[in-house]
Amino acid sequence: MYARVAFPLPYESYYTYKIPDGLGTHIVRGMIVVAPLGKKPAVGVVLEVVRESGLPGIALKEISALGDPELTVPEDLLTLVEYTAGRYGTTPGMVFKSALPPGTLQRRKLYLYPGKQSIPQDCPREAREFLAKVAANAGRIAYSDIKRLKIISLKTVDSLIQEGILSVSPFKALRIAGSKKRWVKATGKTIPENLRNGTKAYHLLEKLIGSDECISTAVLKNQGFSASVIATLHRKGLVESEFRDREIEDIGRMESLVQERIFELTLWQRAILERVEASLNAGSYTGFLLYGVTSSGKTQVYLEAARLALSRGKSVLVMVPEISLTPQIVSRFERSAGVSPLVWHSHLTPTERALVYKRARSGEARLIIGARSSIYSPLKKLGLIVVDEEQDNSYKQDDPAPRYNARELAIEKGRLTGATVILGSATPSAEAYYAAKEGKLKLHTLPQRVAGKRLPRIEIISTASREGDRPKTRPVFPHGFWPVSERMHTELSIRLKNKEQVIVLLNRRGYSSSVICFECGWLGKCPDCEIGWTYHKARNRMICHYCGKEMPGPTVCPNCGSARLSFRGAGTERLEESLKNLFPAARIKRLDSDTATGKWESRDILDEFGKGKIDILLGTQMVAKGHHFPAVGFVGVIGADVGLSLPDFRASERVLQLLTQAAGRAGRSSKKTVTGLVMVQSFAPENPLFEYLLKDDYTGFLENELRIRRALKYPPFTNLILIEVSSTEPARALAGASGIKDEVCGNFKEKPFDVLGPAKSAIFKKGKLYRYQILLKLPTDYEFGGLNDRITSMVKCSRGFSVRIDIDPVNFT
Ligand SMILES: [Zn+2]
Ligand SMILES: [Zn+2]
């Protein structure tokens, strides 16, 4: 018997190994195994078990060890991995690298666990002794420690592994020292009469009696039961506690979650839920697009849908763009879904991720909330997949491969597992909207904000320097505090005086976007990318936002020595400085990737804002995500034009999405006193984009956008393949790109698709590399597998340049 094993390698899909005698029945498709690759042992996944190797006359190496059976990849996940590899032009092994807990396929160190097979009668004494030790310390003895232990020989251990009596895993058993958590449960079944009805203690006891299981005090705290309430019940002997190991507790919940009034479902919410219920009952795939304006109750639909699925014994996957930016959704699910969610995010340690993976696989975890890669969570009996903010770019992985789009994979996963899929957005992507128009997704709209909340009023402010004005004088800015305009300054003052909270968005980080010398005209550029430096004042560094190179901030011009340097263009850091100067008494906090560097910093800033401890929250697009802060009446947008000039056919779609999302943060209170107002500052207010924003006509924008895309052959009317060729020598990069183009076009008399390029990439030089790109526009029904194979085989033997292939790219720089 032979096994085809996938390793995380870019070009080879699998290698074939001989299965050692006696192991034949234990090795199955999906199993993690260890096998020699070159001179070193490597960890891979079995794709197939075959009778014949298909390689006659070649002596094949043998599989050396069986991996942790609890990590074995279930069939539907394997199929999804293989689909990803084919769809996005990579190998299954590379996809497993994203799909499996990080490190599964890379670890050098392996840990011993008891295997599936029982210990035979004739087992020698020292082997028995060793096996007992492994059983007592499962996952804590490393394979490399065996020699040092001097109980048993390495050879004997190998044969025990081969017989399946022992297994190895790249993961150490999870043990977080000194972090026991308290869990409580009720001692009796009735509430004693001396406990006053309506008190917190009464409600808590009622809750605990209603639950058969222990509840963690952390969860109770999140639900509003303080430690002292728990202590009160304890003193009366009404509850008992136990201490459990902390496992995956840190799920990014938010304390300040406003207790939302439970609104009766609207007609529109009920309409989609009825269809979802029918789909769940049928147990076959249906895809929905939930197009609901901001504050129209999309999350409530997700929650109700999740409850419907869970009550049918199915599991649920909820995908969000970024966990630390969406703590409110985590908290709402934790509070109301009925089962506790597990969170799948990039801040988990590999061992924690392995634990989440195993729990999903065993069926113990039934609700997972996660970002992009959670599409690969092996949930059992999957009933529902929700993709919130489906238009968000973060669902697409740019680098490294696999460059997949999780929104698309969600639909495929739904098809594979017969699950219902809901894509939700206030500003759907052109792709999803078109799919709905074509009937591939069932479109449901939520056209109104819930409970009489009104859409905010929108005002566009021109900050274009007027004809004849010298650029240095900008009369629209107060006291020289650019970039906040006079008009916005006035409104901010009023709102702050009214004790309202405000959000100010500027989607560019740093202090200034260019450094120029007044004397000689020197313009500071990253020497590698030839792109202007972004100045970061707090750290006094100039940073290249493309390659990350840094230089100390200049005090004099490096060209002429003049001290008259000008820092032009505003980023969030300068905006923060301006706001602090304009409103010295206000409590101001900045949220961007420079201030939110740690694990939960963005959540903490949002939490503080939710608790009313911040007056002005300013930042990049991070402040515009689906946050729900009812006290916010005003949202200001500075530099609405940022991003419009990018060489990307989705540029205007993205800017309008961002503006609409930002506007959606205003006026979410049901109180009549807080009226929503959004002010948008633009250098080019005549852009038709603002018409759509003012008319609140996102659908009109999409219709127009689809007309343009059809004419220019862009998605959703085509599939794009971006081939980027780079080298330290520009000539090699160009030669490589031309070679690939010939390979792509060579076989066709008449090409069934368009080929653009090779052309210099929008940023020609990135770091030390010169880059050329070729863009293919293929009809959507075009099978590009063969094309891909030809490019791959050419790339494999190329020298002197490297190639990056991005299928349906979302990032063109
Ligand atoms: Zn100079
Ligand atoms: Zn650079």
Side-chain angles (χ1 to χ4, degrees), residues 4 15 65 96 162 230 284 291 340 363 416 525 557 560 671 699 707 726 736 766 813:
R4 297 195 165 139
Y15 285 88
F96 281 125
Q162 291 214 343
I230 300 168
S284 58
Y291 178 5
S340 16
L416 280 172
K525 277 181 185 171
C557 169
C560 72
K671 283 187 220 135
T699 313
R707 271 193 293 278
S726 58
K766 186 172 192 176
T813 53

Side-chain angles (χ1 to χ4, degrees), residues 224-246:
F225 299 106
S226 66
S228 71
V229 178
I230 300 168
T232 307
L233 293 181
H234 234 276
R235 268 199 312 276
K236 300 186 180 197
L238 297 169
V239 299
E240 58 189 10
S241 0
E242 61 175 78
F243 289 86
R244 296 187 188 173
D245 276 338
R246 199 190 79 146

Side-chain angles (χ1 to χ4, degrees), residues 517 519-522 557 559-562:
C517 171
E519 297 291 338
C520 72
W522 168 83
C557 169
N559 189 38
C560 72
S562 162

